[in-house]
Amino acid sequence: MSIHPKAMDLGASENDSIVTEFVLLGLTEAPALQPILFIIFLLTYVAAVGGNVSILAAILAEPKLHNPMYFFLGNLSLLDVRCISVTVPSISYSACLSQLFCFHLLAGADCFLLTAMAYDRYLAICQPLTYSTRMSWGIQQALVGMSCVFSFTNALTQTVALSTLKFCGPHVINHFYCDLPQLFQLSCSSTQLNELLLFIAAAFMGVAPLVLITVSYAHVAAAVLRIRSAEGRKKAVSTCGSHLTVVGIFYGTGVFSYMRLGSVEASEKDKGIGILNTVISPMLNPLIYRLRNPDVQGALRQVFTGRRPLE
């Protein structure tokens, strides 16, 4: 991860009135702290990638995990690997728009995948008799495909709209990666359209999925309360607890990242929230699913030891 004060560099434009060079401040300008932060984030990156790849390996290796819930979880792990890879390694200014596009593509797909996982839990617990029909292999592929299409459309819209803005004032970005709120603050042209598009995207890709997740789990909670056996309740809750924890982290950090859109200046708090959203969350997700899910634990033991878990 680059935390050098001049992580982004581009030659000056022939028109001096238009800024064509941005400077990413990164996490700190203190030279003494930069090597320490580099090591910390390198280890975090390795842990996040290793954890998510191990989840993918466990799902592929264990036939018991070849079901819709783990199909969606495998796709989520793949997105997490790509998300942390987009925001942590250093990039040049020429890749700023590409980074922005990829980040919104992956984050948007995350929103829809988390919603699909909630719908899967709703069907499994509330509609068990029709579960295999209503969550067939074709429907699983369709849900993942739709997630990618909707996310791609939003990411492309936001990136193209941003490329029309002019930057002719301050060129210092007080962050460690390119994102819309920080770039809006530096634009000398109107960002009304961009902010409107971001608001629409937040409603469609943030609020709507969160409402669907809440409704799904309201039905799940009602169904769990009707289960008489303690063992049955425990099993139902264990399959939902991990997902709810991930949803809480993802949406909690996402909301705080964009609720400061109108603030005049970025703060260190924005960087902290960005770290939680793009670095810590992908690292925690495999830990959450591993610690709270005995099936994943058994599959991981098989991957690393070569021995199948006892039935």
Side-chain angles (χ1 to χ4, degrees):
M1 173 180 176
S2 174
I3 50 178
H4 193 277
K6 294 188 177 180
M8 305 176 84
D9 191 16
L10 187 69
S13 170
E14 292 180 0
N15 184 352
D16 293 335
S17 65
I18 302 298
V19 171
T20 57
E21 177 184 84
F22 287 105
V23 176
L24 271 178
L25 290 184
L27 296 176
T28 180
E29 295 183 74
L33 291 177
Q34 291 178 4
I36 298 173
L37 288 175
F38 174 80
I39 293 172
I40 291 173
F41 280 89
L42 176 62
L43 294 176
T44 303
Y45 177 76
V46 170
V49 173
N52 282 287
V53 169
S54 67
I55 292 290
L56 281 169
I59 293 172
L60 293 173
E62 177 54 64
K64 189 191 300 184
L65 302 184
H66 294 175
N67 60 52
M69 181 175 74
Y70 294 106
F71 172 71
F72 293 129
L73 176 58
N75 280 277
L76 186 66
S77 294
L78 196 59
L79 287 176
D80 282 342
V81 170
R82 292 174 176 173
C83 184
I84 195 171
S85 299
V86 162
T87 55
V88 170
S90 61
I91 60 172
S92 65
Y93 172 74
S94 61
C96 183
L97 288 181
S98 297
Q99 183 191 55
L100 181 76
F101 171 81
C102 291
F103 176 69
H104 282 266
L105 172 66
L106 297 170
D110 260 356
C111 289
F112 291 119
L113 270 181
L114 290 172
T115 308
M117 293 172 76
Y119 177 62
D120 171 74
R121 290 300 83 204
Y122 161 74
L123 291 179
I125 295 173
C126 302
Q127 307 287 338
L129 297 180
T130 59
Y131 175 68
S132 59
T133 303
R134 298 173 70 176
M135 192 53 75
S136 64
W137 174 238
I139 292 177
Q140 295 172 47
Q141 291 178 305
L143 288 172
V144 172
M146 288 169 60
S147 299
C148 294
V149 169
F150 290 149
S151 183
F152 176 86
T153 302
N154 171 66
L156 184 62
T157 301
Q158 301 295 342
T159 305
V160 171
L162 181 70
S163 68
T164 64
L165 297 181
K166 293 182 179 180
F167 299 91
C168 51
H171 65 291
V172 175
I173 301 176
N174 189 16
H175 216 294
F176 62 97
Y177 66 93
C178 294
D179 202 5
L180 294 173
Q182 290 75 32
L183 292 170
F184 287 173
Q185 293 167 5
L186 301 182
S187 175
C188 58
S189 54
S190 174
T191 61
Q192 277 191 324
L193 176 60
N194 303 77
E195 292 181 14
L196 176 62
L197 290 173
L198 186 57
F199 178 80
I200 294 172
F204 178 65
M205 304 185 65
V207 177
L210 186 59
V211 169
L212 292 174
I213 291 171
T214 303
V215 171
S216 296
Y217 274 109
H219 286 285
V220 167
V224 168
L225 292 175
R226 291 194 297 267
I227 299 175
R228 295 185 177 181
S229 69
E231 186 64 27
R233 288 186 180 182
K234 182 179 178 181
K235 185 176 181 180
V237 170
S238 68
T239 61
C240 300
S242 302
H243 179 249
L244 281 173
T245 304
V246 171
V247 167
I249 294 173
F250 180 82
Y251 275 97
T253 55
V255 167
F256 282 107
S257 293
Y258 292 97
M259 70 184 299
R260 288 173 53 83
L261 186 61
S263 80
V264 176
E265 57 183 42
S267 70
E268 299 304 310
K269 186 186 297 184
D270 296 317
K271 295 181 186 179
I273 294 169
I275 292 171
L276 284 174
N277 195 25
T278 62
V279 181
I280 303 302
S281 180
M283 183 187 71
L284 289 180
N285 288 353
L287 292 176
I288 292 169
Y289 281 105
R290 179 179 178 179
L291 293 176
R292 300 182 64 94
N293 195 310
D295 291 334
V296 173
Q297 292 176 18
L300 286 172
R301 279 195 296 270
Q302 178 190 345
V303 169
F304 291 117
T305 65
R307 292 180 296 179
R308 295 189 66 82
L310 297 176
E311 299 293 339

